Amino acid sequence: MRYVYETDAYGPDPIRDLYWSTTVPPVSLPTLHGSQKTDVAVIGAGFTGLSAAYHLGQAGVDVTVMDAQHPMFGATGRNGGFCCLGGGTISNASLDRLCGSDQRQLYRQAEKAAVDLVDQFISNHDLDVDRHSVGETLLAHKPKHAQDFPALQDEIQRDYGVTAEILEKPELRQNGLGGAFHGAITTPIGFGLNPQKYASELLQIAQTKGAKIYANTPALRIVPTTLGYDIATPNGTISCNKFIIATNGYSSEDMFPWMRARFLPVQSSVIVTRPITNQEQTAQGWTSAQMAYDSRFLLHYFRMMPNNRFLFGMRGGLHYTKRSNELIRQKIRHDFVGLFPAWRDVTIDYEWSGLVALNRSETPYIGEIPGYAGGYAGFGYHGNGVAMASYSGALLSDMVLDRIGTRPYPKAFQHIPTQFPLGRFRRYMLAPIYALAQSVDL
């Protein structure tokens, strides 16, 4: 298979020191051998694919899921665990131009519905996913960013019907948010969780609904037939009436031509510290359980987990090579210490990286694939996939079942992303953007 980044970026190396894998038992699943028939085939066993399988199985549909590696191998199993608003980066002004103010409001309703979907799933099944944080906190990297918070507070009220809380710089430390910041605004929607605990439970519950799930079963090609589609794998074929592509940033360039260049994979890196003592937390002034991110263009995201380990992540990187990985390793430590200097001697126990997917539309695509009746895809969550990818799977199941209308489905999700220029080399478009962002973020 052909990919955008170096081959090693799609193998086991980026997750050799993945914290989440130490918190859940390994999942043992079979590899597909021979031929099999199913109503719906789902390619990709992450949040999107597993959510689709769960909702389809709940409706009594015969569904088969396949993954090129194993469930949760991609962004699902290695993200920061922020179940929050997002899924796209599009502004309200751009949404109004794209599809009008009514659809803009529906788009924002869908973002909130995505968080509610995960919340309700966890609550309904009484799941232990190490949940914490009341909403998400944005921290001002510069004084001028804090000056924009009142206007942002008004926008949050209009978009989501909730009141965001603003903290001035002197109030940060007394609220447990001590660091190199100039103010904060908290939107009371969302929470932090352990993504592998959540996804593992989603997988097991989907199996109880009848979903068949295969590991080490890459889809090589999708071939239309008179009865539907045949999906070729290395050791067999799945014949289906309908299919869903749920591979997001880990999609290959040659498995399904329509997907080629419609998304841009972007690297994201994460570190997790040893447990930080209460004394060390007090010394830094960070005692909060809030999940947070800063106002940089190339943002940092971070949270103190329930076991007092601190998770810290950042975007960036154009290559997956020994040299580039070492540079990322140095930078993430430099940035961590820059924001939390009292923790400069705190040991980093875990470190990993992964790929998130961007679309040119700045919105997720969740819909039918043009020219392929009964073929669907969901991708492009812009680094906020815990909630939106789960919601995408639910929406895709609604489409398969002809039940659209039961949950918000804005036109922006149906806007087909145009292809990025430069084909497999499109990641290099990020070089000048990263360079400019680093100068702006100083």
Side-chain angles (χ1 to χ4, degrees):
M1 291 186 174
R2 301 175 66 191
Y3 292 100
V4 174
Y5 285 84
E6 290 82 2
T7 303
D8 285 349
Y10 302 88
D13 188 66
I15 51 174
R16 291 191 190 281
D17 295 315
L18 175 63
Y19 170 66
W20 305 126
S21 296
T22 70
T23 66
V24 296
V27 178
S28 180
L29 293 168
T31 298
L32 177 70
H33 288 276
S35 299
Q36 185 176 117
K37 292 183 178 179
T38 189
D39 291 336
V40 181
V42 179
I43 303 169
F47 290 135
T48 304
L50 294 175
S51 176
Y54 163 73
H55 286 93
L56 288 168
Q58 193 173 40
V61 175
D62 182 28
V63 58
T64 300
V65 184
M66 66 194 85
D67 198 279
Q69 301 280 348
H70 55 77
M72 302 174 288
F73 175 81
T76 290
R78 57 182 91 182
N79 66 82
F82 283 48
C83 183
C84 57
L85 297 168
T89 58
I90 192 167
S91 67
N92 277 346
S94 294
L95 279 170
D96 285 347
R97 288 192 297 270
L98 181 68
C99 48
S101 60
D102 288 347
Q103 283 292 318
R104 179 244 300 160
Q105 292 171 3
L106 188 64
Y107 182 94
R108 299 307 178 196
Q109 290 172 24
E111 288 183 307
K112 188 172 183 296
V115 177
D116 291 342
L117 178 85
V118 179
D119 181 23
Q120 290 164 12
F121 182 85
I122 292 169
S123 298
N124 291 345
H125 294 91
D126 194 25
L127 304 182
D128 177 10
V129 295
D130 299 336
R131 176 173 176 160
H132 70 97
S133 188
V134 180
E136 185 179 35
T137 299
L138 168 61
L139 292 152
H141 166 56
K142 295 181 178 181
K144 65 179 182 180
H145 296 167
Q147 294 169 10
D148 295 334
F149 284 169
L152 178 58
Q153 184 184 48
D154 291 342
E155 186 174 86
I156 290 168
Q157 179 68 50
R158 290 193 301 270
D159 287 345
Y160 308 111
V162 298
T163 301
E165 179 185 11
I166 294 175
L167 296 176
E168 303 295 336
K169 184 176 181 178
E171 300 176 288
L172 293 180
R173 193 176 183 91
Q174 67 193 58
N175 283 274
L177 300 171
F181 310 110
H182 299 273
I185 182 168
T186 296
T187 304
I189 299 172
F191 49 91
L193 51 66
N194 180 321
Q196 285 210 15
K197 285 189 176 182
Y198 164 51
S200 294
E201 296 284 4
L202 182 56
L203 183 152
Q204 293 175 44
I205 295 170
Q207 287 178 312
T208 67
K209 302 299 181 182
K212 298 180 287 292
I213 304 175
Y214 293 99
N216 301 306
T217 303
L220 302 178
R221 59 189 174 276
I222 302 172
V223 181
T225 68
T226 55
L227 299 177
Y229 298 92
D230 282 348
I231 301 177
T233 73
N235 300 298
T237 301
I238 293 181
S239 298
C240 58
N241 300 321
K242 299 179 180 181
F243 69 89
I244 293 171
I245 295 177
T247 45
N248 200 34
Y250 287 79
S251 304
S252 71
E253 293 288 280
D254 48 5
M255 184 271 290
F256 191 64
W258 182 84
M259 285 285 294
R260 190 177 301 147
R262 292 193 190 277
F263 65 97
L264 174 61
V266 174
Q267 288 184 307
S268 192
S269 300
V270 182
I271 56 175
V272 168
T273 71
R274 65 158 169 79
I276 298 178
T277 67
N278 291 339
Q279 184 178 6
E280 289 169 327
Q281 292 178 41
T282 300
Q284 174 56 53
W286 189 282
T287 58
S288 175
Q290 281 296 109
M291 58 180 184
Y293 64 105
D294 65 24
S295 59
R296 287 173 170 85
F297 182 85
L298 290 177
L299 59 83
H300 302 102
Y301 51 96
F302 38 89
R303 60 188 179 100
M304 185 74 72
M305 295 188 286
N307 60 4
N308 290 331
R309 292 183 183 273
F310 197 77
L311 178 148
F312 184 87
M314 71 175 199
R315 302 279 190 261
L318 292 174
H319 295 276
Y320 192 84
T321 63
K322 185 176 181 179
R323 179 176 181 275
S324 63
N325 292 346
E326 179 58 29
L327 292 174
I328 289 290
R329 182 177 181 275
Q330 293 174 14
K331 179 168 175 48
I332 196 169
R333 283 163 172 75
H334 173 271
D335 290 3
F336 170 66
V337 171
L339 291 179
F340 305 102
W343 295 342
R344 65 172 58 253
D345 295 324
V346 171
T347 306
I348 307 302
D349 282 354
Y350 300 94
E351 183 170 10
W352 67 92
S353 66
L355 299 172
V356 302
L358 313 183
N359 292 346
R360 291 187 76 181
S361 61
E362 298 185 278
T363 65
Y365 179 71
I366 307 170
E368 191 166 20
I369 299 170
Y372 289 82
Y376 305 88
F379 61 93
Y381 308 121
H382 299 79
N384 283 308
V386 176
M388 188 53 73
S390 301
Y391 190 73
S392 172
L395 273 177
L396 292 166
S397 72
D398 289 344
M399 294 173 207
V400 169
L401 297 167
D402 292 323
R403 293 181 182 174
I404 283 296
T406 60
R407 57 186 105 239
Y409 181 42
K411 288 183 179 178
F413 287 178
Q414 306 167 48
H415 184 77
I416 297 171
T418 55
Q419 291 176 306
F420 284 92
L422 305 182
R424 285 183 62 209
F425 303 102
R426 58 191 181 276
R427 59 175 155 156
Y428 295 111
M429 296 169 56
L430 294 169
I433 297 173
Y434 284 171
L436 177 61
Q438 287 173 0
S439 65
V440 169
D441 287 341
L442 291 176

